[in-house]
Amino acid sequence: MTKIGIIIGSTRPGRNGEAVAHWVHQVAAQRTDAHFELVDLLDYKLPHLDEAMPPSLGQYSRPHTRAWADTIASFDGFVMVTPEYNHSTSGALKNAIDFLYAEWNNKAVGFVSYGSVGGTRAVEHLRLIAGELQMADVRAQVALSLFTDFKDFSVFTPGEFQRESLTAMLDQVVAWSRALAPMRTR
Ligand SMILES: Cc1cc2nc3c(=O)[nH]c(=O)nc-3n(C[C@H](O)[C@H](O)[C@H](O)COP(=O)(O)O)c2cc1C
């Protein structure tokens, strides 16, 4: 069964990302074409990147890196749920991405973002990063507005049409995760 990780890309107390990621998981869990799991960066307690060797060499020396690598290696594809901080993704998500290399390669990724203009600028940056990691970023994405998909900027109340956007994105992530499977077994 294709396995997709839904990564919660923010770590701050009171983060909106948790409610958004749970909504993604709730919708995704109703599908039968893949298995979906939440991945919370808070559970991995990653410091700022503290590996001496470049991640592309795969020589991970720290227990927290190995635990993170084992989790990411176990998935065929991902949904990254990202906030927009200063027109980019969060430092926490970028740092967690930077820790690894091969574990991301030849896997699909889709994005769910939120912010004043839907977090779309954060996703544009993540697409550049995905290219360097040899990830296949799907076109469909979910852009949630802090003005219309949240009450008082903090209570998540997604518009009904957002579910359709999410389904379209998940369709592409599952399809590309499967299509890339032969690349990953090489
Ligand atoms: C450091 C910081 C920078 C932010 N910069 C932006 C921004 O550039 N554009 C935007 O739309 N929202 C910005 N926001 C608002 C966030 O999108 C909003 O607070 C969102 O809920 C953050 O995600 P989180 O609650 O999961 O941490 C910023 C928030 C923080 C904390």
Side-chain angles (χ1 to χ4, degrees):
M1 174 71 98
T2 301
K3 212 177 140 195
I4 308 293
I6 300 165
I7 301 176
I8 309 179
S10 61
T11 53
R12 67 181 190 91
R15 59 191 174 163
N16 278 326
E18 195 169 325
V20 174
H22 279 96
W23 169 73
V24 172
H25 185 246
Q26 199 180 29
V27 172
Q30 292 171 26
R31 303 171 68 102
T32 54
D33 55 355
H35 174 73
F36 296 85
E37 271 178 34
L38 283 169
V39 178
D40 192 342
L41 295 184
L42 279 182
D43 292 336
Y44 295 86
K45 299 187 171 43
L46 294 168
H48 285 148
L49 181 59
D50 60 351
E51 289 285 350
M53 303 303 282
S56 55
L57 298 180
Q59 296 172 24
Y60 304 141
S61 67
R62 312 275 187 192
H64 52 253
T65 312
R66 293 204 192 103
W68 178 234
D70 287 350
T71 295
I72 296 306
S74 74
F75 291 106
D76 301 296
F78 301 93
V79 174
M80 292 185 180
V81 177
T82 182
E84 180 171 302
Y85 292 165
N86 297 316
H87 291 201
S88 189
T89 190
S90 69
L93 179 56
K94 177 63 163 58
N95 184 56
I97 290 171
D98 289 346
F99 258 95
L100 308 178
Y101 187 71
E103 293 78 8
W104 300 116
N105 295 174
N106 300 315
K107 296 180 180 177
V109 60
F111 302 102
V112 176
S113 58
Y114 47 97
S116 56
V117 289
T120 50
R121 295 167 292 209
V123 172
E124 290 301 298
H125 280 180
L126 281 166
R127 290 186 186 280
L128 288 174
I129 294 163
E132 177 57 14
L133 293 169
Q134 303 183 60
M135 300 183 84
D137 55 313
V138 303
R139 178 174 185 264
Q141 66 187 73
V142 182
L144 300 159
S145 165
L146 283 177
F147 296 103
T148 56
D149 294 304
F150 292 82
K151 187 169 171 285
D152 300 329
F153 305 103
S154 58
V155 180
F156 186 45
T157 52
E160 193 47 42
F161 73 98
Q162 297 290 10
R163 198 185 162 101
E164 279 170 40
S165 305
L166 175 56
T167 299
M169 185 270 282
L170 293 172
D171 286 348
Q172 294 184 353
V173 169
V174 172
W176 282 19
S177 296
R178 282 188 186 157
L180 288 169
M183 300 282 295
R184 293 193 293 277
T185 53
R186 258 175 230 164

